[in-house]
Amino acid sequence: MVETRFSKFLQKLGFSGAGHQYEPLERGELETLFDEECELKAIEKEKMVVALPPKEASKHHREDLAEAFCVDLEKGLSEFSVTQRRLAHGWNEFVADNSEPGWKKYLDQFKNPLILLLLASALVSTLTKKYEDAVSIAMAVLIVVTVAFIQEYRSEKSLEELTKLVPPECNCIREGKLQHLLARDLVPGDIVSLSIGDRIPADIRLTEVTDLLVDESSFTGEAEPCSKTDTPLTGEGDLTSLRNIVFMGTLVQCGKGQGVVIGTGEKSQFGEVFKMMRAEETPKTPLQKSMDSLGKQLTLFSFCIIGVIILTGWLQGKHLLSMFTIGVSLAVAAIPEGLPIVVMVTLVLGVLRMAKKQVIVKKLPIVETLGCCNVICSDKTGTLTANEMTVTQLVTSDGLHAEVSGVGYNGQGTVCLLPSKEVIKEFSNVSVGKLVEAGCVANNAIIRKNTVMGQPTEGALIALAMKMDLSDIKDSYVRKKEIPFSSEQKWMAVKCSPKTEHEDMYFMKGAFEEVIRYCTMYNHGGIPLPLTPQQRAFCQQEEKKMGLLGLRVLALASGPELGQLTFLGLVGIIDPPRAGVKEAVQILSESGVSVKMITGDALETALAIGRNIGLCNGKLSAMSGEEMDSMEQDKLADHVGKVSVFFRTSPKHKLKIIKALQESGAIVAMTGDGVNDAVALKSADIGIAMGQTGTDVSKEAANMILVDDDFSAIMNAVEEGKGIFHNIKNFVRFQLSTSISALSLIALSTMCNLPNPLNAMQILWINIIMDGPPAQSLGVEPVDKDTLRQPPRNVKDTILSRALILRILLSASVIISGTLFIFWKEIPEDKASTPRTTTMTFTCFVFFDLFNALTCRSQTKLIFEIGFLRNHMFLYSVLGSILGQLAVIYIPPLQKVFQTENLSALDLLLLTGLASSVFILSELLKLCEKFCSRAKKAQIHHEEV
């Protein structure tokens, strides 16, 4: 449009003949051209406006800010400016990158080596016309792949959940009017008005503030609301110290304010978290790594068998192609296609057991991961602590000490004098009563249904009054005036008069060093006495002691005039540990799991909580976020394992800690509840979110959710994880020993030119037992209570450990020897295969299989220790297998299918006695290992003595 008008302008200045002939412009056209030129300049000017980083914006004065964003701070932006800026900066929202289609993600699941091996076996089964095997294998693969895809799809929703964080509406000044807009409409330079209860719609540099307090706990991890100012900042500091900036997603808890939008969408600080989450990939679990390793080992094993069989047959002069077919078929028989299904069933049952214990697991393999987790990093606020400020100590001005029990915004708990432990109610002790009264009257908070409306610190004082039955004392006064708290004066006061009297009285609370300046007297048992320098020094010393314990200390005073107040005493407030956390930390530490605390709080508070919950038995080592920034990643990896408390940390620091621990070889679990924990939750080997206090983003980023916010539930998860891996090992031992036995039996008979000891239908029946109910029931063996005391499993340990391989080979050799003995005993002299020969060999093998399953229920404990009747599913499946085997032998229609004949009672007795040898030998081996282990421990103990 502008170009056409400009070309028209050139035409008006065209040449005519030899001389220049100019045609004058019309007045309207000239104005239009100037308007277009101004519009072009305005568009260029709008394009120059960029989002400012919070640290840079915090240093700008109001005028500089208005100039940088080309905005009138009173009138706001014009609609033209908003349109142009939206073209440059986009909408104020997060857009998850869903570029990879679902079908591709589904197909990616087939890259697992074990899955590829199963598909290969299905193909060979199809080529050899074993269609039943092919269909069963294909179904197993589809089930495993589909479940894995659904789990992965759910985990990827964590990015989409960040969109819920952006509030839908906000109040914005545009073209001189206060408008109610969708938050996604905001652009850099918009003027936003904030009031109590608002969720901040973007990163904003404040220009006007009235008693503004913002809850930034989901961003910084600090429980205490942050007091905000509108004055420019000069010093350097981290994001948590920018007191003239409010961040997207945080909550206005008190007061009101106005400011300029400095960052929207991905250019906000939560946008940085979003980008970090998008870049972060969820690591493979140890179980997945073990299954990958097992898949590769079985592939190698299969190819070795093919090679040996083909080579032997070729040396015997047999046809090469026929030998290749036999070799591949035998290799396929060696692949335990039931393994992924049993792993899946075992994990699903583990997840269901966890759900009963109020723990939701979103990814199946995650349960097992906790079995080898050796470090748990926990956020402090809302995870180790309840995120409920609570008064825990009182010191009156006349030197009385009292402790307060009970946590949260309720009246549960007592106030006890020390050291007598006398419980105080109302004014049974005047000094304590007056102190609590002042805290209740100089207060704007209200507690309703165990929830505080107002500042958490004031809520803690109301809860203290409730514990002493003084919560209604406030109603006996008429408030006349309030001097609100400000960060400069560090105190607040109210002017009241008792309803029964007309004398005015002031109640003050605040920082000790400020409140004491207004005091001339101190309370001694209800009698005001002059405040001497010695008494002032005593109070100062008590305040310092409480501060070193990590408590937030408030001083309280009352009196007729502000300059003539009577000092009443001190209260110590802290966000206390959750119930059961200390015990959980102790048990986890004893079982070899190191617990580390990560917080945005100051050092003193962090150390106080660390000592309270028994981290490292009180021997704490701390590191700040700033120290981490100045340290190289490789040095941090060496040092981070020795640190138990990390303080003043940001989301980037949390991620750095997780990565450093993982580099040092640790399997890391991360617990958290805030948006500031989301990236660390996703990058950890296992992310654990809080169900009640956790944000949606943290729940979606996590793999596991503690429904009741009970940190001690992690112990149950660790126990379950260790038990699951043991059960999978038991199943692998049973299946591979059966697999090797069947394979070796057929291979040996082939190589020795003997008839096949088992026919096709008999092998199929053995395969059903090998992969069916008896095998799968091993995966649901109840968790052994001794597992929690065992140290975490080394992530480098494969399922097929040396000890397990030896047990597999022992069982397989006993089964092969026993079955070959029966085959040799029953085979006629002409070496022809008869129904009796195959029936005896077949039944012998099945009985060996069932006795082998019985001993595979535990790798270390005798059957009498774990109990015959504990695993009901195992009993039913073994009973079903025995009845099925008897049906195959004695029911005529089945005899024709399986080519069997009746066996006598003596035959069955002989086979049962012989088959029990695999069970007896395995149990004797366990007994020998027990004696050796005890002897070794006794020798070590003797040497130490």
Side-chain angles (χ1 to χ4, degrees):
M1 186 177 173
V2 178
E3 287 177 5
T4 54
R5 285 176 180 163
F6 193 68
S7 60
K8 191 176 179 183
F9 171 73
L10 290 174
Q11 287 170 13
K12 293 259 183 181
L13 298 175
F15 295 100
S16 177
H20 296 291
Q21 187 177 3
Y22 299 100
E23 188 178 332
L25 284 166
E26 293 170 19
R27 187 177 176 182
E29 290 175 328
L30 192 63
E31 286 176 358
T32 305
L33 281 167
F34 279 125
D35 286 346
E36 292 294 344
E37 191 179 347
C38 289
E39 189 176 330
L40 278 170
K41 284 183 180 177
I43 290 170
E44 287 301 316
K45 191 178 180 184
E46 293 299 337
K47 283 181 180 177
M48 296 294 287
V49 174
V50 293
L52 279 180
K55 286 186 180 180
E56 188 181 332
S58 68
K59 296 174 184 176
H60 281 49
H61 287 80
R62 283 168 56 96
E63 300 75 22
D64 300 334
L65 210 60
E67 189 180 334
F69 285 99
C70 304
V71 62
D72 184 323
L73 295 179
E74 302 300 322
K75 295 181 180 178
L77 295 173
S78 65
E79 288 302 326
F80 171 79
S81 296
V82 170
T83 306
Q84 296 303 319
R85 292 184 192 195
R86 186 166 296 124
L87 290 171
H89 299 279
W91 297 96
N92 179 30
E93 61 187 4
F94 303 118
V95 181
D97 182 18
N98 293 322
S99 55
E100 197 173 68
W103 61 267
K104 190 174 184 300
K105 290 177 184 174
Y106 187 79
L107 290 178
D108 282 346
Q109 301 295 328
F110 289 90
K111 291 179 180 177
N112 185 321
L114 201 57
I115 297 295
L116 290 172
L117 202 54
L118 289 175
L119 289 173
S121 70
L123 180 63
V124 172
S125 297
T126 307
L127 293 173
T128 53
K129 297 185 179 179
K130 293 176 183 174
Y131 299 115
E132 298 92 344
D133 282 1
V135 170
S136 65
I137 293 167
M139 288 300 294
V141 168
L142 280 174
I143 291 167
V144 172
V145 164
T146 304
V147 170
F149 169 73
I150 291 166
Q151 292 294 331
E152 189 175 300
Y153 174 77
R154 276 185 57 78
S155 72
E156 285 176 359
K157 282 184 68 185
S158 56
L159 290 176
E160 294 166 28
E161 278 298 316
L162 270 167
T163 58
K164 293 182 183 177
L165 193 72
V166 180
E169 295 171 342
C170 63
N171 295 313
C172 177
I173 299 171
R174 283 183 184 169
E175 297 187 330
K177 296 175 185 175
L178 185 65
Q179 301 179 27
H180 199 63
L181 303 171
L182 287 173
R184 73 189 294 266
D185 291 338
L186 290 179
V187 294
D190 261 325
I191 307 299
V192 175
S193 180
L194 303 168
S195 56
I196 189 166
D198 286 354
R199 195 167 282 281
I200 311 294
D203 287 359
I204 296 170
R205 162 67 164 88
L206 297 166
T207 53
E208 292 178 23
V209 164
T210 308
D211 301 331
L212 186 65
L213 283 176
V214 178
D215 177 5
E216 295 184 339
S217 60
S218 70
F219 180 66
T220 62
E222 290 198 42
E224 195 64 30
C226 184
S227 175
K228 295 295 180 180
T229 180
D230 55 8
T231 54
L233 304 179
T234 52
E236 291 291 330
D238 59 7
L239 291 173
T240 57
S241 63
L242 302 180
R243 291 181 55 243
N244 57 7
I245 306 284
V246 287
F247 297 102
M248 178 192 281
T250 55
L251 190 70
V252 178
Q253 202 166 66
C254 187
K256 58 183 180 177
Q258 189 171 297
V260 182
V261 173
I262 59 169
T264 58
E266 292 190 21
K267 293 286 175 69
S268 66
Q269 282 307 301
F270 278 136
E272 291 296 317
V273 173
F274 173 81
K275 281 186 275 190
M276 286 164 70
M277 276 188 71
R278 190 160 61 188
E280 203 55 47
E281 288 187 11
T282 307
K284 272 192 173 184
T285 69
L287 182 62
Q288 286 169 326
K289 289 173 186 172
S290 293
M291 298 315 294
D292 288 348
S293 173
L294 183 57
K296 287 169 186 172
Q297 287 169 351
L298 290 175
T299 307
L300 185 65
F301 180 64
S302 300
F303 281 119
C304 286
I305 287 175
I306 291 172
V308 170
I309 296 291
I310 292 171
L311 182 64
T312 307
W314 179 64
L315 290 172
Q316 289 176 347
K318 292 180 181 177
H319 194 265
L320 190 63
L321 186 59
S322 65
M323 287 314 301
F324 180 77
T325 307
I326 291 168
V328 171
S329 302
L330 289 172
V332 168
I335 299 169
E337 63 265 29
L339 183 57
I341 291 293
V342 169
V343 169
M344 194 62 66
V345 168
T346 306
L347 292 172
V348 166
L349 288 166
V351 166
L352 293 174
R353 284 196 293 267
M354 292 306 299
K356 288 177 185 174
K357 295 172 183 175
Q358 300 298 299
V359 178
I360 295 170
V361 177
K362 290 165 59 185
K363 279 191 170 185
L364 292 179
I366 287 302
V367 187
E368 181 275 336
T369 310
L370 271 170
C372 46
C373 168
N374 47 20
V375 178
I376 295 177
C377 293
S378 180
D379 175 50
K380 180 187 78 71
T381 309
T383 305
L384 293 173
T385 63
N387 200 11
E388 293 177 328
M389 299 302 282
T390 307
V391 177
T392 56
Q393 285 189 29
L394 304 177
V395 179
T396 63
S397 54
D398 51 354
L400 295 176
H401 288 73
E403 66 174 9
V404 186
S405 63
V407 176
Y409 303 118
N410 54 63
Q412 294 174 7
T414 55
V415 180
C416 300
L417 271 181
L418 295 176
S420 65
K421 295 283 183 182
E422 177 195 342
V423 176
I424 305 167
K425 293 288 182 183
E426 296 183 334
F427 286 94
S428 60
N429 183 289
V430 178
S431 296
V432 176
K434 280 187 167 291
L435 179 63
V436 174
E437 178 192 34
C440 190
V441 176
N443 203 310
N444 293 314
I446 301 168
I447 291 177
R448 282 185 190 156
K449 296 179 180 178
N450 295 344
T451 305
V452 67
M453 299 172 71
Q455 292 185 45
T457 306
E458 292 192 329
L461 294 172
I462 296 289
L464 172 66
M466 288 166 72
K467 289 168 187 175
M468 284 185 59
D469 299 334
L470 286 172
S471 55
D472 296 331
I473 195 81
K474 196 176 182 179
D475 300 332
S476 61
Y477 290 90
V478 177
R479 185 180 288 195
K480 293 183 175 179
K481 181 185 174 184
E482 178 185 339
I483 304 168
F485 177 88
S486 75
S487 54
E488 286 77 27
Q489 69 186 29
K490 295 182 180 177
W491 56 266
M492 72 86 72
V494 292
K495 183 181 179 183
C496 304
S497 64
K499 287 183 179 178
T500 53
E501 301 171 23
H502 295 291
E503 276 187 26
D504 288 342
M505 196 168 185
Y506 282 90
F507 292 93
M508 179 187 279
K509 74 170 188 296
F512 168 76
E513 64 274 10
E514 297 299 325
V515 171
I516 202 78
R517 288 170 54 201
Y518 293 87
C519 299
T520 55
M521 313 287 280
Y522 79 96
N523 176 57
H524 187 85
I527 302 165
L529 296 177
L531 184 64
T532 60
Q534 292 86 348
Q535 191 64 30
R536 189 186 293 255
F538 165 76
C539 294
Q540 191 168 4
Q541 190 179 2
E542 289 296 328
E543 188 261 348
K544 193 174 180 181
K545 280 182 188 175
M546 291 169 84
L548 288 171
L549 292 172
L551 300 174
R552 184 178 182 203
V553 186
L554 283 182
L556 293 137
S558 64
E561 295 290 338
L562 277 182
Q564 299 173 17
L565 297 180
T566 300
F567 185 71
L568 299 173
L570 305 163
V571 294
I573 303 172
I574 199 167
D575 180 13
R578 286 182 181 277
V581 167
K582 187 172 183 178
E583 294 78 9
V585 168
Q586 185 180 348
I587 292 168
L588 287 166
S589 298
E590 286 171 0
S591 66
V593 180
S594 170
V595 181
K596 299 181 187 297
M597 183 172 75
I598 306 175
T599 179
D601 273 338
L603 176 63
E604 290 78 12
T605 308
L607 290 177
I609 295 294
R611 288 190 198 98
N612 282 352
I613 63 174
L615 278 185
C616 295
N617 296 320
K619 298 169 185 175
L620 301 177
S621 171
M623 179 185 267
S624 69
E626 283 186 18
E627 286 177 82
M628 271 184 272
D629 288 334
S630 61
M631 197 175 281
E632 295 293 327
Q633 190 68 24
D634 55 343
K635 287 185 180 176
L636 184 63
D638 294 334
H639 190 67
V640 80
K642 302 165 191 170
V643 179
S644 48
V645 174
F646 298 91
F647 64 100
R648 290 293 185 210
T649 57
S650 68
K652 286 181 181 177
H653 292 135
K654 290 182 179 182
L655 182 61
K656 212 171 180 182
I657 293 163
I658 300 292
K659 293 286 186 191
L661 285 165
Q662 287 172 334
E663 277 179 32
S664 66
I667 298 297
V668 186
M670 171 75 195
T671 70
D673 64 338
V675 176
N676 60 327
D677 302 318
V679 181
L681 286 172
K682 191 175 180 188
S683 64
D685 294 285
I686 177 161
I688 306 168
M690 299 291 126
Q692 292 180 353
T693 57
T695 58
D696 285 346
V697 183
S698 67
K699 288 178 195 173
E700 281 299 320
N703 314 111
M704 211 169 92
I705 300 166
L706 305 180
V707 177
D708 294 337
D709 293 4
D710 185 2
F711 183 84
S712 58
I714 294 174
M715 288 188 305
N716 297 328
V718 170
E719 189 176 29
E720 199 67 51
K722 288 177 178 177
I724 279 172
F725 192 76
H726 284 297
N727 287 350
I728 290 170
K729 281 180 82 171
N730 294 343
F731 166 77
V732 168
R733 177 189 169 184
F734 167 70
Q735 199 173 52
L736 288 188
S737 57
T738 307
S739 212
I740 291 167
S741 302
L743 185 63
S744 302
L745 197 64
I746 297 163
L748 284 169
S749 61
T750 305
M751 290 166 74
C752 297
N753 279 325
L754 291 171
N756 204 331
L758 303 168
N759 61 43
M761 288 308 293
Q762 290 168 354
I763 291 170
L764 183 62
W765 177 253
I766 288 167
N767 203 48
I768 289 168
I769 292 175
M770 191 173 82
D771 293 325
Q776 292 180 17
S777 64
L778 290 172
V780 298
E781 188 72 31
V783 176
D784 190 347
K785 292 296 173 189
D786 291 340
T787 54
L788 191 59
R789 297 194 194 102
Q790 295 175 8
R793 179 174 63 85
N794 191 333
V795 69
K796 292 176 183 175
D797 290 348
T798 59
I799 290 178
L800 285 177
S801 62
R802 188 180 170 188
L804 187 63
I805 290 169
L806 289 171
R807 285 192 173 94
I808 289 168
L809 293 175
L810 175 70
S811 298
S813 60
V814 174
I815 295 169
I816 293 163
S817 303
T819 311
L820 279 176
F821 169 74
I822 292 294
F823 181 57
W824 170 79
K825 180 177 172 291
E826 296 297 331
I827 198 167
E829 289 183 8
D830 60 357
K831 294 188 178 179
S833 183
T834 64
R836 177 173 171 80
T837 306
T838 54
T839 305
M840 285 290 282
T841 309
F842 170 46
T843 308
C844 180
F845 194 95
V846 169
F847 281 12
F848 262 121
D849 225 17
L850 298 176
F851 273 110
N852 188 32
L854 184 63
T855 194
C856 284
R857 284 179 59 191
S858 174
Q859 302 295 320
T860 54
K861 289 199 170 183
L862 299 170
I863 191 68
F864 305 108
E865 290 178 291
I866 58 174
F868 272 104
L869 307 175
R870 195 171 71 158
N871 188 346
H872 298 296
M873 185 179 168
F874 179 80
L875 291 175
Y876 297 142
S877 59
V878 167
L879 183 64
S881 298
I882 291 168
L883 292 173
Q885 184 64 25
L886 293 175
V888 164
I889 297 168
Y890 295 109
I891 295 174
L894 291 176
Q895 284 180 337
K896 286 181 182 178
V897 174
F898 287 92
Q899 297 173 18
T900 58
E901 64 176 40
N902 291 346
L903 297 178
S904 66
L906 283 172
D907 289 333
L908 291 178
L909 200 60
L910 168 68
L911 295 176
T912 305
L914 182 64
S916 65
S917 61
V918 70
F919 167 74
I920 293 164
L921 277 170
S922 292
E923 294 295 291
L924 285 172
L925 182 65
K926 290 178 193 175
L927 203 59
C928 289
E929 285 176 350
K930 271 184 177 291
F931 280 122
C932 290
S933 177
R934 282 177 191 168
K936 195 174 181 181
K937 282 179 183 176
Q939 188 180 351
I940 291 167
H941 180 69
H942 181 70
E943 285 173 1
E944 284 176 355
V945 172

